[in-house]
Amino acid sequence: MDIQWNILAEYAPFFLKGTLLTIGLSLAGILIGTILGLFIGLGKMMKNKWLSFPFGLYITLFRGTPMLVQIMLIHFAVVPLFTGGTNGIAAAILTLSLNSAAYIAEIFRAGIQSIDKGQMEAARSLGMTHVQAMRYVILPQAFKRMIPPLGNEFIVLIKESSLASLVAAPELMYWGRAMQGQYFRVWEPYITAALIYLILTLSLSYVLSRLERRLATE
Amino acid sequence: MIEVKNLKKSFGANVVLKDINVTVKPREVVVVIGPSGSGKSTFLRCINLLESITDGHVYIEGIDITDKKSDINKVRTEVGMVFQQFNLFPHKKVIENIMLAPMKVRNVTAEQARKKGLELLRKVGLEDKAETYPDSLSGGQKQRVAIARALAMEPKIMLFDEPTSALDPEMVGEVLEVMKQLAKEGMTMVVVTHEMGFAKEVGDRVIFMDGGLIVEENTPNQLFDDPKESRTKAFLSKVL
Ligand SMILES: Nc1ncnc2c1ncn2[C@@H]1O[C@H](COP(=O)(O)OP(=O)(O)O)[C@@H](O)[C@H]1O
Ligand SMILES: [Mg+2]
């Protein structure tokens, strides 16, 4: 196996652009997913079974089906339904957000339910409403416990964002596939892509472990 | 001040309070004793609706809290509660624990809340701990902060659910001391406790509960020295 460095050099700017889009897609996915996930998680925790059912169903559907299927449906069916055309980047962001929201909803629920019941009771006994108790007492404590699993979800999302290459969103894996198509080479594009993904996920887990250590000592 | 009428409470098929009738007058200190599982905590928690009431009525200063129309959050600001497990907010400093509810519920300014909070900490002897986190406190100190936190809402009634049961023996005294002081100042109190010395010293009345019923009710001296019911006698012979 001899590596053709010249074609790698030629593709370097594309890999760079692709990496930036990969980061952008994952960031958008985790941010939107976190906001949606909070509401879906709270929704699923509602006492009324009829009200909580749709949120539970959402979580079951998105966690129980492959993301590849989800991105295809969203790209070819859902996005055109609203815009009349397809848009790879929009489909990718939408899929990553909706999918991670399902996982993050469960992270929120577990985080909130891990807080001792006495905290809510103490807050309520002081006259706070349920919403105030959630906002000032429960959620701040729960968020701290959610940081490690949220970080994991972010790492998963970076990797899964590679599926966006299949709907022509020009991220990292898209350029890997483009390079393979142009030069009929497999080692150069995919090892490069793998290395870049590895750098992204390793840096993120490094940042996360630092953050966790700092929170633990607080 | 507190009037409990025909209070019944069940958890599913488990009937925990059978028919409780109690009146607590202003400035009165009522001590509730009884074996574990007899419904003491549940009784206390019904008084501020931490448990929903199955049947009967509870009036706090004339307001029927079982009436759907009454504002339970407002009633709760008048009724402070101290828990066996303290339930301090671990993510907030001691002073913030005390300031939170007055600021959010009563819309008191931060400045005023802090001033009041420091005053209360002085009262429970913990002014120097204002800026620390609850984790660094001993059990006795935590419970004193919890009392200060409840007092910050300026309640008219204080409920205590075994406030010293989770403490090492050497810390029981400091918490009881604060409670005695509070009683002396005329706070209306309902206290579930196994501290018979406390009951004798500051209790105006002792209620003995067993099996979800009030078995006997009397002044501390009468109840401890001359119990009428055999169940009371049996219980007292075990704990005294
Ligand atoms: N949240 C609950 N759900 C179901 N059963 C409960 C609950 N809380 C208390 N109980 C039951 O009610 C009974 C009385 O409990 P409690 O009021 O805590 O007694 P005490 O404080 O006198 O030890 C017990 O049998 C207990 O198992
Ligand atoms: Mg109890």
Side-chain angles (χ1 to χ4, degrees):
Chain A
M1 173 186 95
D2 65 320
I3 292 174
Q4 298 193 2
W5 294 99
N6 57 329
I7 63 168
L8 267 178
E10 183 197 329
Y11 261 83
F14 298 121
F15 276 122
L16 180 64
K17 271 201 305 194
T19 304
L20 290 180
L21 185 60
T22 289
I23 296 174
L25 291 177
S26 323
L27 259 176
I30 196 85
L31 287 178
I32 302 171
T34 301
I35 296 165
L36 282 178
L38 174 60
F39 285 105
I40 296 167
L42 289 173
K44 194 185 171 190
M45 285 185 345
M46 282 191 295
K47 287 232 173 64
N48 185 317
K49 288 225 168 59
W50 293 105
L51 291 178
S52 74
F53 176 76
F55 298 99
L57 185 66
Y58 178 95
I59 293 170
T60 305
L61 288 180
F62 273 92
R63 297 207 315 172
T65 57
M67 204 198 268
L68 180 56
V69 177
Q70 294 166 15
I71 201 168
M72 291 298 161
L73 269 174
I74 288 173
H75 181 62
F76 292 112
V78 177
V79 172
L81 200 64
F82 289 100
T83 65
T86 59
N87 180 328
I89 293 182
I93 291 180
L94 202 57
T95 308
L96 292 171
S97 306
L98 295 179
N99 180 281
S100 67
Y103 286 92
I104 292 171
E106 287 295 69
I107 292 173
F108 273 120
R109 196 173 60 89
I112 288 168
Q113 288 178 344
S114 77
I115 304 299
D116 186 80
K117 255 181 60 199
Q119 293 288 307
M120 174 60 88
E121 292 182 349
R124 296 305 304 271
S125 78
L126 289 163
M128 282 187 231
T129 62
H130 185 84
V131 172
Q132 286 174 325
M134 270 292 177
R135 172 150 171 221
Y136 301 114
V137 177
I138 308 297
L139 288 178
Q141 296 182 61
F143 275 131
K144 222 165 128 173
R145 295 191 191 176
M146 290 170 199
I147 287 172
L150 271 179
N152 269 337
E153 178 60 24
F154 196 1
I155 289 173
V156 168
L157 222 51
I158 289 176
K159 293 186 288 181
E160 304 236 280
S161 71
S162 59
L163 289 176
S165 64
L166 300 178
V167 295
E171 43 68 79
L172 184 50
M173 197 58 190
Y174 173 89
W175 292 110
R177 285 161 49 89
M179 189 172 164
Q180 182 199 2
Q182 184 176 353
Y183 292 109
F184 301 105
R185 302 285 301 180
V186 285
W187 286 98
E188 287 88 348
Y190 294 130
I191 290 290
T192 308
L195 280 176
I196 295 175
Y197 279 117
L198 201 58
I199 291 168
L200 291 180
T201 54
L202 286 181
S203 325
L204 183 57
S205 48
Y206 174 75
V207 171
L208 282 168
S209 68
R210 292 280 304 249
L211 188 65
E212 269 172 58
R213 225 172 309 149
R214 236 187 55 202
L215 287 172
T217 53
E218 245 172 34
Chain B
M1 185 135 248
I2 306 176
E3 208 184 339
V4 178
K5 272 192 176 165
N6 307 110
L7 170 63
K8 294 185 187 74
K9 170 69 185 175
S10 356
F11 292 106
N14 183 11
V15 185
V16 173
L17 298 178
K18 284 170 187 157
D19 183 21
I20 303 283
N21 292 280
V22 180
T23 305
V24 181
K25 296 192 281 290
R27 306 177 73 86
E28 203 177 12
V29 177
V30 174
V31 174
V32 182
I33 60 171
S36 164
S38 57
K40 306 181 297 295
S41 297
T42 306
F43 165 61
L44 218 54
R45 294 158 59 83
C46 282
I47 297 179
N48 64 357
L49 279 197
L50 281 184
E51 298 293 353
S52 62
I53 289 170
T54 308
D55 197 18
H57 295 273
V58 175
Y59 301 88
I60 305 286
E61 298 207 291
I63 297 170
D64 184 354
I65 64 169
T66 56
D67 185 343
K68 289 238 168 9
K69 271 176 262 153
S70 36
D71 179 357
I72 185 58
N73 292 321
K74 175 114 197 333
V75 172
R76 283 191 184 126
T77 63
E78 312 284 340
V79 185
M81 183 151 194
V82 174
F83 302 85
Q84 185 175 346
Q85 297 299 337
F86 330 124
N87 297 342
L88 293 180
F89 307 138
H91 61 302
K92 295 201 173 287
K93 291 177 180 170
V94 164
I95 187 73
E96 294 167 341
N97 261 273
I98 301 175
M99 291 162 64
L100 183 64
M103 285 170 63
K104 301 304 175 195
V105 179
R106 290 220 198 276
N107 294 317
V108 170
T109 65
E111 208 177 329
Q112 279 174 297
R114 177 172 293 273
K115 188 158 160 277
K116 173 95 188 163
L118 289 173
E119 230 168 79
L120 287 166
L121 281 176
R122 199 172 314 134
K123 185 183 170 117
V124 300
L126 290 171
E127 204 185 4
D128 56 322
K129 300 290 185 193
E131 302 299 328
T132 61
Y133 283 91
D135 275 350
S136 65
L137 302 180
S138 72
Q141 292 172 330
K142 280 182 191 162
Q143 196 60 297
R144 285 187 279 154
V145 171
I147 294 173
R149 179 178 69 178
L151 291 175
M153 291 302 287
E154 304 184 332
K156 302 205 173 81
I157 300 164
M158 284 284 282
L159 309 175
F160 294 84
D161 191 0
E162 303 203 30
T164 58
S165 294
L167 300 179
D168 292 334
E170 72 269 21
M171 291 172 188
V172 170
E174 64 194 57
V175 173
L176 292 181
E177 216 37 63
V178 170
M179 291 167 62
K180 284 176 196 168
Q181 181 61 33
L182 214 51
K184 226 179 276 167
E185 290 166 10
M187 177 64 76
T188 308
M189 293 163 56
V190 182
V191 185
V192 175
T193 185
H194 298 297
E195 296 294 330
M196 301 303 164
F198 174 86
K200 275 187 191 163
E201 193 181 330
V202 299
D204 296 304
R205 204 148 37 100
V206 178
I207 290 174
F208 171 65
M209 278 182 70
D210 193 12
L213 287 167
I214 293 181
V215 175
E216 192 167 350
E217 182 177 352
N218 217 327
T219 61
N221 285 334
Q222 294 263 300
L223 192 116
F224 290 134
D225 300 337
D226 185 21
K228 301 279 182 291
E229 303 287 331
S230 57
R231 275 198 280 177
T232 318
K233 284 177 198 164
F235 176 75
L236 289 174
S237 70
K238 265 184 263 164
V239 297
L240 284 182

